[in-house]
């Protein structure tokens, strides 16, 4: 409904949120429908269908999010060097759309699936930093929490709809995973079309000297940026991944396969309802307290998984807190770091921070899978909860301290 306003790039939307942010939100909404269709069925497909062990699933889950670390840096650097953030983001969105077709061809081969997932995540790695940089460059610094909140809420709408679309396709196609993958590819292509037609790039008014590779080192030497990178990496290490959380809930409560994708739907519903209000709250009371509060909710989810609560109260509480965690952290972290980065290196800096977090997430997924297999899910989950507590202290010390 916002697309009719997008030909006026400086038009303000909800309380100062620009039309370009709404356009980027529309792209993310459509793309997330596509992505979450696959994400909703992938853990079940791998663990139940292909009978992968928890350790093997941990490797693939880590690959799904963290293995494209260097490509995040490549995408950020190329976007800043060429001053064409939209083009780099568009290539990333297109790569992910093509990868959905690859899932059709991979069949039951775990090696082929891993390769296709790596390509899909390469697309995400290339597009994320340019997209977030465009949001920061299209928004006044004081409204960044609100802008990222609106964008993440629209993104959450796609994440909410994706599993429902996957369920509908499975029901209509006789539980055919190939039908889900093909439909996902078509929807991802629509997201690329919206990007091309409605998103406007942010180009420097006066061309500057090309950004050199050494700029990454210069950013790292900036004390404030270095602390945020370290904090983001610690936060990534404390996050075990959606698939593990949903699998643990499914195993403990004996949920049927048909209910499994609805866990992601519930999380996404809470996320889309809370992302914009929590983003606005972060602008008012401070972004760090809201971010830390989100990770407190994550720690509570881990403790609930093997706590005294059971049945549907456990499922509802865990899903609600998990959605709260995402709403309070995803966009808020980018709003926190955006003002620390010079405009000329904005995309590279965001990519550096996201890369640290993604690499840590890769390690976290592998380690949690190994811990589950070696000591059991209860011990592994409680170790993860302790890790969240330690990470909160580290993050508060690194980001809350002024240089």
């Amino acid at each position: 409904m916002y697309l009719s306003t997008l030909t006026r790039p400086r038009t303000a939307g909800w309380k100062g949120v620009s039309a370009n942010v709404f356009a980027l939100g529309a792209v993310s909404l459509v793309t997330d429908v596509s992505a979450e269709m696959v994400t909703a069925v992938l853990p079940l497909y791998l663990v139940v269908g292909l009978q992968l062990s928890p350790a093997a699933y941990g490797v693939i889950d880590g690959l799904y999010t963290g293995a494209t670390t260097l490509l995040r840096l490549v995408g950020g650097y190329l976007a800043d060097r060429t001053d064409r953030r939209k083009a780099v983001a568009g290539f990333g969105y297109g790569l992910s759309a093509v990868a959905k077709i690859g899932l059709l061809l991979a069949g039951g081969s775990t090696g082929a699936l891993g390769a296709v997932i790596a390509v899909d995540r390469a697309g995400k790695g290339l597009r994320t930093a340019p997209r977030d940089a465009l949001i920061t460059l299209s928004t006044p610094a004081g409204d960044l929490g609100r802008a990222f909140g609106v964008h993440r809420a629209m993104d959450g709408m796609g994440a909410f709809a994706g599993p429902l679309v996957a369920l509908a396709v499975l029901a209509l196609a006789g539980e055919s995973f190939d039908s889900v993958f093909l439909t996902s590819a078509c929807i991802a292509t629509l997201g690329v079309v919206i990007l091309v037609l409605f998103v406007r790039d942010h180009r420097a008014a006066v061309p500057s000297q090309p950004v050199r590779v050494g700029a990454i080192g210069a950013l790292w030497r900036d004390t404030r940026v270095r602390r945020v990178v370290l904090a983001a990496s610690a936060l990534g290490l404390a996050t075990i991944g959606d698939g593990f959380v949903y699998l643990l809930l499914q195993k403990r409560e004996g949920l049927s396969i048909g209910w499994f994708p609805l866990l992601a739907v519930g999380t996404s519903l809470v996320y889309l309802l809370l992302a914009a209000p929590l983003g606005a709250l972060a602008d008012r009371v401070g972004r760090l307290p809201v971010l830390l509060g989100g990770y407190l909710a994550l720690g509570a989810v881990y403790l609930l998984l093997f706590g005294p609560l059971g049945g549907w109260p456990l499922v509802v509480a865990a899903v609600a807190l998990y959605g709260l965690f995402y709403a309070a952290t995803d966009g808020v972290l980018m709003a926190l770091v955006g003002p620390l980065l010079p405009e000329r290196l904005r995309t590279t800096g965001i990519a550096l921070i996201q890369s640290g977090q993604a690499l840590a997430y890769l390690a976290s997924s592998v380690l949690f899978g190994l811990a589950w297999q070696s000591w059991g899910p209860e011990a592994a989950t409680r170790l993860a909860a302790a890790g969240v507590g330690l990470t909160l202290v580290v993050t508060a010390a690194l980001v809350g301290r002024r240089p």
Side-chain angles (χ1 to χ4, degrees):
M1 62 182 170
Y2 297 110
L3 295 182
S4 62
T5 70
L6 299 182
T7 54
R8 302 190 299 275
R10 297 187 181 277
T11 300
W14 178 68
K15 294 184 178 180
V17 178
S18 72
N20 214 33
V21 173
F22 282 119
L24 289 162
V27 174
S28 292
L29 189 158
V30 173
T31 302
D32 243 37
V33 172
S34 168
E36 293 302 321
M37 287 180 66
V38 175
T39 302
V41 300
L42 196 60
L44 214 58
Y45 179 56
L46 295 174
V47 175
V48 177
L50 300 183
Q51 296 293 308
L52 293 188
S53 68
Y57 174 72
V59 172
I60 290 183
D61 183 63
L63 181 69
Y64 194 70
T65 299
T68 56
T69 300
L70 291 178
L71 282 172
R72 291 173 185 260
L73 284 172
V74 170
Y77 171 72
L78 286 177
D80 280 338
R81 182 174 178 81
T82 63
D83 203 22
R84 294 180 182 274
R85 297 172 181 88
K86 175 181 172 179
V88 175
F91 180 75
Y93 280 110
L95 199 60
S96 291
V98 171
K100 301 301 190 298
I101 300 294
L103 290 171
L104 290 170
L105 306 176
S109 168
T110 54
L113 280 169
V116 171
I117 286 170
V119 171
D120 178 61
R121 295 299 89 182
K124 182 176 178 64
L126 286 171
R127 72 181 182 248
T128 302
R131 180 202 67 199
D132 285 349
L134 281 172
I135 294 174
T136 67
L137 294 171
S138 303
T139 308
D143 292 325
L144 280 173
R146 181 179 289 109
F148 274 102
V150 168
H151 175 269
R152 294 317 199 248
M154 296 179 73
D155 186 88
M157 292 176 192
F160 173 73
L164 295 178
V165 176
L167 281 175
V169 172
L170 285 172
L172 292 172
E175 298 189 356
S176 167
F177 285 104
D178 285 353
S179 298
V180 174
F181 299 151
L182 180 59
T183 306
S184 174
C186 294
I187 295 174
T189 302
L190 176 61
V192 177
V193 172
I194 295 173
L195 177 85
V196 171
L197 294 179
F198 296 107
V199 172
R200 293 181 177 268
D201 211 347
H202 189 287
R203 309 290 299 279
V206 179
S208 58
Q209 293 293 322
V211 175
R212 300 185 183 279
V213 175
I216 298 175
L219 280 171
W220 178 254
R221 288 190 293 273
D222 186 312
T223 303
R224 296 178 303 170
V225 175
R226 186 169 63 250
R227 287 176 182 166
V228 173
V229 172
L230 293 173
S233 300
L235 294 172
L237 198 58
T239 309
I240 66 173
D242 299 0
F244 279 123
V245 172
Y246 299 149
L247 284 170
L248 287 168
L249 278 174
Q250 189 266 339
K251 285 179 179 294
R252 176 172 172 180
E253 297 305 319
L255 299 177
S256 67
I257 290 175
W259 285 102
F260 187 82
L262 296 181
L263 297 173
V265 172
T267 299
S268 298
L269 177 61
V270 176
Y271 175 42
L272 73 89
L273 290 175
L274 295 181
L278 287 177
L281 178 67
D283 285 338
R284 291 199 301 271
V285 305
R287 290 155 191 164
L288 182 59
V290 174
L291 180 74
L292 296 179
Y295 277 90
L296 277 174
L298 178 65
V301 171
Y302 295 164
L303 291 174
L304 279 174
L305 289 173
F306 288 95
L309 198 62
W312 285 108
L314 165 64
V315 174
V316 171
V319 165
L321 285 169
Y322 209 41
L324 172 63
F325 155 66
Y326 276 118
T329 59
D330 189 14
V332 173
L333 177 61
M334 292 300 101
L336 176 69
V337 305
L340 302 179
L341 304 168
E343 180 175 327
R344 184 164 168 263
L345 297 174
R346 185 70 52 86
T347 320
T348 305
I350 288 175
L352 181 63
I353 292 161
Q354 291 174 342
S355 294
Q357 192 171 29
L359 188 60
Y361 179 90
L362 170 59
S364 173
S365 289
V366 173
L367 291 173
F368 185 82
L370 290 171
W372 180 348
Q373 190 161 311
S374 300
W375 304 318
E378 183 172 356
T381 305
R382 290 186 175 171
L383 281 173
V388 172
L390 179 61
T391 297
L392 287 172
V393 176
V394 171
T395 302
L398 286 170
V399 182
R401 178 183 169 194
R402 295 185 178 276

